[in-house]
Amino acid sequence: MSKNNCAVVGVGQTKYQTTRGDVSMAGLVREAAYRALEDAEMSWSDIDAVVIGKAPDFFEGVMMPEIYLAEALGCAGKPILRVHTAGSVGGSTALVATSLIQAGIHERVLTLGFEKQSESNATWALSLPQPFSVSINAGAGGYFSPIIRQYMIESAAPELIGCMVAFKDRQHALRNPYAHLHQHDLTFDQVVEAPMLWEPIRYSETCPSSDGACAMVLGSESVGDASSKPVAWVQGTSMRSEANTFPGRNEVNPRASRECADDVFSQAGITDRRREIDVVEMYVPFSWYEPMWLESLGFAEIGEGWKMVEEGATHIDGGDLPVNCSGGVLSTNPIGASGMIRFAEAALQVRQMAGEHQVDGVQRSLGHAYGGGAQYFAMWILGDTKP
Amino acid sequence: MTKLESIDYTLEYPYTRSTGPVWGPFLTGLRDGKILGARIGNKIYCPPLEFDPETAAAAEPDLVEVGPGGTVSGWTWVTKPTTKHPFDHPFAFALIVLDGADTAMAHAIDAKTEAAMRTGMRVSAQFRDERVGAVTDVYFVPEADAVDQEIAAGDEPVAITIHSIGVDISEPLSPHRVRFAEGLRNGKIIGQKSPTSGLVYVPGRGYDNMERVRMDESCDVEVADVGTVVAYTTISPIQYHGQTETEPYIRCSILLDGADQPLGGIDIRDMTPEEFRTGMRLKCVWRPPEERDYSDLDNRGGGLTEGVYERWEPTGEPDVDFESIKEHTW
C-alpha cells in the first residue's frame, strides 16, 4: 500500500512549568500552535485541518475541550479531530495527523497535544472511579512499581540504574530552555537519597506535573520540498494496543510494544537498530522504563538494557544512542503533550534545530510514546531524507 | 444489608481556572456589576474572546461595556433544575444579544413561567448579592421585572477561579458482579472459568477478554481464599482533594489457589514492607457474615471489597518460587 510522503515542517512549544497561571487554556494551546506556524512560515489560513490530543478530560474538568478550543485553533469551517489514547496520546495524535497527509486528504495539518495539570491533581485524576473500567486507584506510580520490581529481579540490574537515568535526564534538561525541571545544583547523591514514593520508585525517579502544549505542522511532499528550513521526513509510523490485564501477560515487555517496534523499524528499512538510529526520544515517566524500553525496542538484548545506561550509551555526551536529550518525561510532563514532545523533539534533532541539546549529525531519530497500563504504543521514525 | 442492584457515586473536584488576559477582566467586571464585550475587528463579542473566532488572529484586549439590557434570540425551558443549575426552580436557558454587542451570550433567565418566554423579548441583567468573579454572578430577568441595584466594586482583579465540577453516576451492577457479591456474603470467592481457554479469572468479568467469549453463570467457579503474593508496592499517599490515606501502606496482588489471574489492589495495613515479599502465602480472614459490607463494590474491581474481610494473614507455608509466579506482575 503506497503512502504519500509527509514531513514535519514546524514545531512549537510552550515553556513547561508547574502552573501557567497567566494564560487561559485557549491561550496555552494558541501559544504552542502560533510558534509551530511561525517555524513553518505559515499563518492560520494555510492550515487545512487540526488534530488535537490530550489525556482524560478529568485532568481539567472540561468535557470535550476540543469543541471549545476549535475557534482558538483556527478551525472555523475546517475539520478538527480529537484523539485519546491515555499517556501515549501525544504520539498517536501526531500519527493520526500524519495519516491525513499520507492518505492525500490534506496538504498541511496542525497537530497539538496539551495538558493543564495545575487545574486539578494528576494522581486524583488517575485514581478516580470511572464507569465500567478498572481503576488503578493509586496513581500511575502505584501501578508501575511492581512491574519495575519484576524487571529488577529478572535482569539482576544494579539497584541504582534508575537513579542514573533520572540524573542523566535532569542533566539533559538543563540544555533545553523549554524543560520544566531545571535542577542546576542536583547531585547524584540527592537522587539516590530521595524518599521512596512507590517503592522501589524514589520521588526523584518520577516525572513532574506540568502545564504546557506542544504543536507541529505536518506537510505533504510538495510542502516539505518548498520549506526554506530543514524538514524531517516520516519514514515509519506504528501504533499498537493490548488489554492491561490477562493471564500470562508480559507486563515488563508487552507484546504490543515489541510488535509496534518491529513494525516501525521494518517500515524504515532498519535492521541494526542501535547503529542506524542516531537519537531516541522515549517515553520514560519512571526512570527504570529507559532500560526496559531499550530492551523492548530492540536496542539491547533482553535483560541487558541496564548495561547501556551503566556504560553511558544513552547520555548526550559520548553516548552512541543518546536518549531523551530534551530531558524527557522525567523533566517535563504535561501528560497529553508528553508524547507529542517526544515526537517533536525527534523532529528537531533530524532538522538540526534542537539548540544546546542537539546531537551532532543526526540522520534518523525515533519518537516513542506509551500509555495506560503500558498498553498503548505509538512510534515514528524520522529521517533527513525521504523514505 | 447492602443493595446489589446498582452502584451510585459522584465524581467531583474543585478545579482551578487561570483566566488569562480577557476572561479575567470579564469576570472581574461581573463581580463589579458590569458586563464587558471585546471589540475584535468591526464586531463586539460578548462574552469576549482573546482571538478572532473567524480567523484565529490574535486580538489585543479592547474591552467595552455592554448591556445591561438585551434581546433573546433563542431559548429553552428547564423544568427540573439540577443542583448545578443557577436556580432551584424552573427557568430558561437563552441566547441573549446584549445591547451594544453583536454576538449572543448563553445565560439563564429567571422568567417564573414558560409562558413569559418568547424569542425577541427584552431582558435585563441582575447581579447576585454574593459575587465571586464567575459567570453565575449575573442572571437575567424580563425587562419589566428588573430592579435597580447598587453594586460595590471588589478589590483584586480576578485571575484564578475555582469551580467544583462534578457528575453523579448511577450504573447497574452487572449480573456477574451481583453473583460475586453474593459469594462474598457467604465467605466464598467466585471466579469464572473460560469455556474456551479453561483459564480462571477472578473476579470474573462476564467475558473472556482474550478469547472474546461470553462467560455466564455456567462459567462460575469457586476458588480458594488462600493464595500467593505475586506483586506489591508500598504507597506513600499523595495528598489531594478527597484523599483519605495519610500513612504509607502496602498494596499487593494475590494469586488465589485455583485462579489464573491475581486479585489486584489488596491493601495490607498490618504488615511492614520489611516482612512483606512476593511469593508469600496469605489467607483471607473474613469478617463475621453480619458485619460484611459490600456497599463500595462496583463493576470495575479487580479485587475484593475491603468491607468483607478483616485482614490477610500469613499461612506459615514456605514461600512460592519466583519462577512459578513471574508471569503475574499485577
Side-chain angles (χ1 to χ4, degrees):
Chain A
M1 190 176 63
S2 68
K3 295 171 183 169
N4 293 343
N5 278 328
C6 175
V8 182
V9 300
V11 169
Q13 304 183 64
T14 65
K15 167 75 177 106
Y16 305 109
Q17 59 194 56
T18 305
T19 304
R20 277 298 303 270
D22 59 321
V23 290
S24 65
M25 207 179 297
L28 184 77
V29 296
R30 283 174 58 79
E31 195 172 302
Y34 182 75
R35 287 174 182 169
L37 289 173
E38 198 173 45
D39 183 19
E41 299 174 313
M42 290 184 194
S43 65
W44 296 104
S45 60
D46 294 318
I47 297 299
D48 302 323
V50 174
V51 184
I52 185 170
K54 71 175 298 299
D57 291 349
F58 294 105
F59 278 90
E60 291 87 1
V62 179
M63 297 303 122
M64 299 182 280
E66 65 279 9
I67 291 171
Y68 125 80
L69 293 172
E71 289 175 340
L73 291 169
C75 276
K78 296 175 185 177
I80 185 167
L81 289 178
R82 154 87 182 273
V83 178
H84 175 37
T85 59
S88 72
V89 66
S92 44
T93 301
L95 295 188
V96 170
T98 303
S99 69
L100 295 175
I101 304 276
Q102 290 176 326
I105 294 169
H106 296 302
E107 290 288 306
R108 298 168 192 85
V109 175
L110 174 69
T111 185
L112 183 141
F114 81 95
E115 210 71 66
K116 207 159 180 312
Q117 293 189 205
S118 65
E119 305 215 339
S120 76
N121 175 291
T123 299
W124 174 81
L126 291 173
S127 302
L128 48 76
Q130 292 176 30
F132 301 109
S133 60
V134 175
S135 167
I136 58 179
N137 217 11
Y143 180 84
F144 289 118
S145 52
I147 300 173
I148 287 170
R149 184 187 295 103
Q150 177 107 352
Y151 173 75
M152 293 166 77
I153 295 170
E154 287 181 3
S155 67
E159 192 197 336
L160 298 183
I161 291 295
C163 293
M164 294 178 72
V165 172
F167 186 59
K168 174 204 65 144
D169 281 2
R170 303 282 161 60
Q171 285 183 311
H172 286 179
L174 297 177
R175 306 182 189 202
N176 176 7
Y178 293 112
H180 177 169
L181 297 183
H182 283 146
Q183 299 172 299
H184 293 277
D185 301 324
L186 184 73
T187 65
F188 183 69
D189 287 347
Q190 285 171 336
V191 174
V192 174
E193 287 158 13
M196 284 289 180
L197 196 56
W198 297 285
E199 197 278 323
I201 306 175
R202 291 167 176 80
Y203 177 73
S204 56
E205 296 177 90
T206 67
C207 48
S209 179
S210 316
D211 283 357
C214 177
M216 289 188 281
V217 176
L218 307 181
S220 64
E221 181 161 346
S222 61
V223 170
D225 285 341
S227 174
S228 70
K229 295 177 182 173
V231 303
W233 295 98
V234 177
Q235 299 193 344
T237 65
S238 190
M239 287 186 269
R240 289 290 189 280
S241 59
E242 69 181 40
N244 76 338
T245 59
F246 55 87
R249 179 176 188 225
N250 186 338
E251 311 217 15
V252 172
N253 188 356
R255 179 173 156 188
S257 166
R258 299 193 305 272
E259 293 186 356
C260 191
D262 289 347
D263 184 25
V264 78
F265 284 114
S266 161
Q267 287 178 37
I270 287 174
T271 50
D272 185 339
R273 298 178 186 185
R274 185 165 171 181
R275 193 177 58 78
E276 294 180 64
I277 292 287
D278 301 311
V279 65
V280 180
E281 280 285 334
M282 183 192 286
Y283 203 98
V284 180
F286 303 102
S287 61
W288 282 91
Y289 267 92
E290 178 173 304
M292 288 161 67
W293 292 143
L294 284 170
E295 295 172 23
S296 190
L297 291 167
F299 291 117
E301 296 298 320
I302 299 299
E304 307 210 327
W306 61 268
K307 292 179 183 171
M308 289 181 67
V309 176
E310 194 175 55
E311 291 159 5
T314 60
H315 200 288
I316 191 170
D317 292 329
D320 69 289
L321 187 75
V323 174
N324 293 331
C325 299
S326 63
V329 181
L330 282 172
S331 304
T332 303
N333 191 29
I335 296 180
S338 288
M340 181 83 63
I341 299 169
R342 309 281 71 71
F343 278 47
E345 286 285 345
L348 290 174
Q349 289 286 348
V350 165
R351 299 172 72 204
Q352 317 292 322
M353 291 172 68
E356 274 189 69
H357 62 284
Q358 178 69 47
V359 174
D360 285 342
V362 172
Q363 293 177 304
R364 279 209 276 210
S365 64
L366 171 70
H368 163 275
Y370 86 93
Q375 61 191 124
Y376 306 109
F377 296 87
M379 304 175 192
W380 76 359
I381 290 172
L382 301 175
D384 61 357
T385 56
K386 293 175 194 174
Chain B
M1 187 62 196
T2 309
K3 71 185 171 74
L4 289 175
E5 295 81 35
S6 69
I7 170 82
D8 306 314
Y9 53 99
T10 299
L11 295 182
E12 193 159 45
Y13 198 84
Y15 289 93
T16 56
R17 297 274 177 260
S18 47
T19 55
V22 168
W23 292 322
F26 172 68
L27 296 173
T28 305
L30 293 180
R31 184 196 64 193
D32 296 346
K34 290 186 294 194
I35 305 174
L36 299 176
R39 188 190 310 277
I40 301 171
N42 55 8
K43 279 189 188 171
I44 306 282
Y45 288 85
C46 184
L49 291 167
E50 299 171 24
F51 47 85
D52 183 332
E54 291 171 28
T55 65
E60 285 303 311
D62 180 7
L63 299 174
V64 294
E65 193 169 344
V66 298
T71 304
V72 171
S73 63
W75 58 277
T76 187
W77 190 249
V78 180
T79 53
K80 289 181 183 169
T82 72
T83 56
K84 295 288 184 190
H85 278 153
F87 300 106
D88 60 6
H89 51 266
F91 67 98
F93 272 128
L95 292 170
I96 300 164
V97 182
L98 288 158
D99 297 344
D102 295 296
T103 61
M105 174 160 74
H107 218 294
I109 300 175
D110 190 9
K112 310 298 185 209
T113 67
E114 186 175 359
M117 290 298 305
R118 61 182 173 78
T119 300
M121 73 187 281
R122 293 286 300 167
V123 294
S124 189
Q126 298 280 280
F127 293 88
R128 295 190 188 267
D129 293 340
E130 279 194 31
R131 296 178 310 284
V132 295
V135 76
T136 45
D137 286 355
V138 70
Y139 63 97
F140 292 84
V141 295
E143 203 162 50
D145 297 345
V147 296
D148 286 339
Q149 293 176 299
E150 287 289 327
I151 307 291
D155 297 329
E156 293 296 312
V158 175
I160 301 277
T161 60
I162 299 176
H163 307 267
S164 184
I165 298 171
V167 59
D168 297 325
I169 294 170
S170 177
E171 56 182 280
L173 208 55
S174 303
H176 64 278
R177 293 297 281 177
V178 173
R179 299 196 303 275
F180 181 69
E182 284 166 351
L184 297 178
R185 180 159 58 198
N186 298 318
K188 293 178 178 176
I189 300 172
I190 305 294
Q192 289 191 300
K193 183 171 186 165
S194 168
T196 306
S197 68
L199 295 173
V200 175
Y201 290 75
V202 183
R205 299 165 175 250
Y207 64 96
D208 175 345
N209 66 331
M210 295 312 293
E211 305 294 340
R212 293 170 295 279
V213 292
R214 184 166 174 240
M215 295 201 286
D216 60 18
E217 194 164 0
S218 69
C219 300
D220 286 5
V221 290
E222 186 183 346
V223 297
D225 59 1
V226 179
T228 304
V229 175
V230 292
Y232 75 97
T233 184
T234 306
I235 294 171
S236 304
I238 288 174
Q239 294 308 307
Y240 51 79
H241 173 80
Q243 169 69 284
T244 54
E245 304 287 352
T246 55
E247 299 302 317
Y249 60 98
I250 293 167
R251 171 159 295 176
C252 70
S253 294
I254 299 173
L255 183 67
L256 296 173
D257 295 351
D260 292 295
Q261 177 162 299
L263 284 178
I266 304 285
D267 293 340
I268 306 285
R269 296 165 200 279
D270 53 2
M271 278 184 259
T272 64
E274 290 70 32
E275 61 187 314
F276 207 77
R277 57 201 182 272
T278 52
M280 194 174 190
R281 298 278 294 163
L282 296 180
K283 177 173 178 49
C284 181
V285 181
W286 297 88
R287 289 182 195 275
E290 63 279 9
E291 290 177 22
R292 286 178 204 155
D293 171 22
Y294 12 79
S295 56
D296 64 348
L297 188 86
D298 57 29
N299 281 318
R300 297 166 300 284
L304 301 183
T305 180
E306 283 206 324
V308 300
Y309 61 86
E310 283 172 7
R311 65 185 182 282
W312 290 77
E313 67 178 23
T315 64
E317 297 165 87
D319 283 5
V320 168
D321 176 48
F322 174 76
E323 280 301 313
S324 67
I325 54 170
K326 75 176 202 180
E327 78 169 51
H328 302 288
T329 312
W330 241 145

